[in-house]
Amino acid sequence: QHEKIDYVEFPATDIEATKAFFTATFNWQFEDYGPDYTAFSNEGLDGGFYKSDQTATVAAGSSLLIFYSKTLEETKIEAAGGRITRPTFSFPGGRRFHFTCPSGNEYAVWSDNGL
């Protein structure tokens, strides 16, 4: 839509590991555009990962992409190769935790269940 957020891109130090992580954790599907770019769609917001030695973290000033989960405890980050960087905490209206994917980018997952 005109003047609305349409697409987002993230750096990835390891595109294959990042694809495997998001496939295992959130059941995403990807379309590769050469060895240095992969795209995802139909995940709430379309986007892609580009090959880069950089990472996106809040501490470095990056925006934070936050996923929603009906049940935080069922979101298996570590089993898929991610790392929990901030354990679950409560905030007005819900609970969330932060994690990094295999490429080191920081994300969060929140839920309004289990308050």
Side-chain angles (χ1 to χ4, degrees), residues 5-87:
I5 296 172
D6 184 64
Y7 199 84
V8 62
E9 293 184 325
F10 301 97
T13 58
D14 186 332
I15 289 179
E16 291 305 315
T18 299
K19 286 171 40 180
F21 171 79
F22 281 97
T23 299
T25 305
F26 299 109
N27 200 32
W28 285 12
Q29 295 181 349
F30 292 90
E31 183 174 349
D32 293 337
Y33 292 92
D36 295 334
Y37 195 88
T38 191
F40 56 86
S41 58
N42 299 314
E43 303 307 337
L45 178 64
D46 293 351
F49 291 95
Y50 58 92
K51 181 72 175 148
S52 175
D53 292 332
Q54 302 295 312
T55 59
T57 64
V58 173
S62 177
S63 298
L64 181 65
L65 185 69
I66 304 172
F67 297 88
Y68 176 79
S69 176
K70 290 181 181 177
T71 309
L72 285 181
E73 294 72 23
E74 292 179 12
T75 306
K76 303 298 183 194
I77 300 299
E78 294 171 317
R83 187 171 65 86
I84 303 294
T85 57
R86 186 170 179 192

